[in-house]
Amino acid sequence: GESVGLHLPTLSVQEGDNSIINCAYSNSASDYFIWYKQESGKGPQFIIDIRSNMDKRQGQRVTVLLNKTVKHLSLQIAATQPGDSAVYFCAENMPDSSYKLIFGSGTRLLVRP
Amino acid sequence: EPEVTQTPSHQVTQMGQEVILRCVPISNHLYFYWYRQILGQKVEFLVSFYNNEISEKSEIFDDQFSVERPDGSNFTLKIRSTKLEDSAMYFCASSAFPGIGGQPQHFGDGTRLSIL
């Protein structure tokens, strides 16, 4: 389940700092969005979701922001920990489909101790 | 916490052979999916399955591919005659009935398929 790629953008943060991971999605008709975390050798793990009728949603240490005007999603991780090191994907879903997800290309988060 | 399980974790097969990848979705989920991830690339949708039939399939999911829910717990992906370019991680996912606006899809840890 490892998404290894020479072209993955990488965000390096100090442990304890906040992280912001950005994603541009492709379809203005998409109405549901999910952030996934993928650790080496694992499948995508659900973090948080948001529907298009919202612009912000908070979970435990994570916040997702949605800007439909510019088709932009962000994931904010508070007080980043070493266990947060992984590849993060946004995914979008369009209505009138079978709820298939369209994944972004991912961002690698590295947490420096 | 309920999870999606996939077997085997790694499958090595000669080109032209048939492979079956197996998945046990979360027990009360109704929608099932297969995705694949070629090394270094995005996760790509292959097929969705609901009520014992395919809901949608991508261009990748050609006549070499098929899915089946042979019993109440398993969901399988069969590739009839494998090609080198089928080498990838294959992920199974499931979701509760989506309703309006979608529901999270939960993924297994994948099967790494290597075609020689």
Side-chain angles (χ1 to χ4, degrees), chain A residues 68-83:
Chain A
K68 295 183 288 293
T69 304
V70 294
K71 294 190 292 184
H72 185 266
L73 268 174
S74 68
L75 176 70
Q76 301 176 2
I77 304 173
T80 315
Q81 301 168 359

Side-chain angles (χ1 to χ4, degrees), chain A residues 1-5 31-32 34 36 38 41-44 46 49 51 89 93 97-105, chain B residues 31 33 35 37 39-43 45 48 55-56 89 91 98-109 112:
Chain A
E2 182 176 349
S3 178
V4 175
D31 63 354
Y32 178 61
I34 306 178
Y36 284 96
Q38 188 176 29
K42 301 280 192 181
F46 172 82
D49 59 359
R51 291 182 169 78
F89 294 96
N93 168 245
S97 76
S98 65
Y99 305 100
K100 72 179 183 186
L101 294 175
I102 300 168
F103 279 78
S105 53
Chain B
Y31 259 88
Y33 311 82
Y35 292 81
Q37 186 178 34
L39 190 64
Q41 298 186 21
K42 298 180 187 182
V43 177
F45 169 80
S48 59
S55 303
E56 185 173 356
M89 284 293 294
F91 293 108
I100 296 172
Q103 289 288 333
Q105 293 180 24
H106 297 273
F107 285 74
D109 283 337
R112 182 177 296 280

